[in-house]
Every structure is written in structure tokens, then in C-alpha cells.
Amino acid sequence: MAKPSQSQRQGQIRIIGGQWRGRKLAISDSIGLRPTSSRMRETLFNWLAPMIQDARCLDCFSGSGALGLEALSRHAAEAVLLEYNDRVAKQLLLHLAVLKAKNAQVIRTNTLNWLARPCDRPFDLIFLDPPFHQGLLSYAIPLLEQQSWLSDEAWIYIESESSYNLEMIPSHWRLQKEKIMGQVVYRLFIREWFCHQRRF
């Protein structure tokens, strides 16, 4: 029997909480695809427990969809998943169909181009987990503010290499939680809109 090619090999993500708890979904072994681990997701969604229900979520660099799908499982009102890779985006659409998730959409797009347009309806929760070592956070974070993608008191999750410099974080984003796992650091910020407004 022929050995599967790299493009054919698949891994899995497991939804760890909510209505789809325990469901396993296949993910392609695509270059740069780095799903947030189950352990990290469990910690993150414990952090998000006070606000996740009915939240409107934007998963900016969706990849495996682990974050957006976990949010939907825990009764987020809506999730928009942005993904550049066509094959990965099609797999995300398949996941939504399997889960019968009608309150979500996958947009096949360059995330930075998508964020550069004006927003007509802001989000309550933003997931920023881009491919590492490409400087994408330095472009995405300012666009979230400049184009009004954030609700007044939005929560922003950032997963990055541990060397990422926090200088790009707006001063009115308050660091709520932070944890380091190996070479990865994950942080949760809350946007303090009223503090921001008082400065003007």
C-alpha cells in the first residue's frame, strides 16, 4: 500500500466543552497549521466563561477552527472564521456542516485585507492566533482599532511566540490573563473603552 503523502495525512482536534463536547474533527496536515492545544483551550475558555454565551466572535487566522468552533460549542451567538488557505477553508465549511452550525460563516480571505475595510458591526470576542514569526500581529492589532472591529468592551485573545513584544498592544487593552507554555505565550485582554475615551 502506498504511503500517504503529507497533504493526505490528517490529525484531529477535539472539542472539549459545550454542546459538541467530545466531538473529534479531522484536520489536514497543512504547513503552518498549528491548532491551539486542548490544554490551552481549556484554560482559555475557563477565562472566557463569564462572557462567551451570546458573544459575537471573530477568529482572525482560523486554521483548524479550534477556537471558533469551541466558542460556538459553548453557545457563542455567532462566529466568523477567516482563513486564507483554500483547502483549509473548505475543511472548515465541512466541519460547520457536520456540526449543523448555522450561526457561523467561513470567509476565504487574506485576514489583513479583510480587516483593512471599515466594520459595520463590531465583535465582542476576537481570536488572534496567526502563524508565528511573520509579524502578522503588528498589522492586525492596529486594524482592529482603526476600522472599529471591536465592541466597546471587547475581549481579545492573543496567542504568539514567547518573544512577541507587547509594545504594539494599545494602552487601553488591559491584560487580564497570561500564561506561558514552552515557546508559546497566550494572553487575554479586555478593551477599556471608557478609559480610552477619557483621554480625548
Side-chain angles (χ1 to χ4, degrees):
M1 179 180 287
K3 191 175 182 179
S5 67
Q6 182 175 4
S7 62
Q8 293 171 320
R9 290 199 301 269
Q10 292 189 322
Q12 285 184 333
I13 57 169
R14 181 177 63 86
I15 297 177
I16 57 177
Q19 61 183 323
W20 303 321
R21 182 178 181 180
R23 293 291 295 269
K24 294 180 180 178
L25 302 167
I27 57 170
S28 297
D29 186 14
S30 298
I31 295 173
L33 199 63
R34 180 189 43 77
T36 300
S37 71
S38 294
R39 183 177 171 187
M40 291 168 66
R41 272 185 290 132
E42 185 171 10
T43 299
L44 167 62
F45 281 91
N46 285 338
W47 293 348
L48 295 175
M51 64 81 63
I52 190 65
Q53 188 166 340
D54 297 327
R56 187 164 188 260
C57 306
L58 176 63
D59 193 350
C60 287
F61 301 90
S62 194
S64 69
L67 297 176
L69 294 174
E70 191 76 45
L72 289 168
S73 182
R74 295 168 188 254
H75 304 288
E78 180 184 357
V80 175
L81 285 67
L82 308 180
E83 175 53 45
Y84 180 74
N85 183 291
D86 186 60
R87 183 161 60 91
V88 175
K90 287 176 180 176
Q91 192 166 54
L92 289 171
L93 286 169
L94 180 60
H95 292 341
L96 294 181
V98 167
L99 296 169
K100 298 182 172 60
K102 297 181 180 179
N103 54 339
Q105 61 176 314
V106 175
I107 300 177
R108 175 16 190 128
T109 187
N110 177 301
T111 293
L112 298 182
N113 291 343
W114 197 83
L115 292 177
R117 64 188 184 88
C119 172
D120 57 358
R121 189 178 168 210
F123 290 86
D124 307 307
L125 174 60
I126 307 287
F127 296 114
L128 288 171
D129 179 17
F132 285 180
H133 307 296
Q134 296 184 26
L136 295 171
L137 287 173
S138 297
Y139 293 99
I141 289 171
L143 289 172
L144 290 173
E145 286 287 350
Q146 292 164 11
Q147 302 299 342
S148 303
W149 290 104
L150 303 170
S151 63
D152 290 349
E153 297 178 357
W155 294 39
I156 307 104
Y157 171 73
I158 298 178
E159 188 173 324
S160 68
E161 58 272 39
S162 56
S163 60
Y164 178 69
N165 193 325
L166 286 178
E167 288 181 1
M168 286 299 300
I169 302 297
S171 59
H172 60 290
W173 290 17
R174 177 169 54 87
L175 181 61
Q176 181 79 357
K177 300 285 186 179
E178 178 180 41
K179 211 160 190 181
I180 297 173
M181 184 176 289
Q183 299 301 309
V184 178
V185 58
Y186 50 118
R187 300 179 172 102
L188 182 64
F189 295 87
I190 297 180
R191 185 175 187 258
E192 295 185 326
W193 179 76
F194 293 107
C195 293
H196 180 57
Q197 289 297 103
R198 284 200 294 268
R199 293 169 52 198
F200 295 95

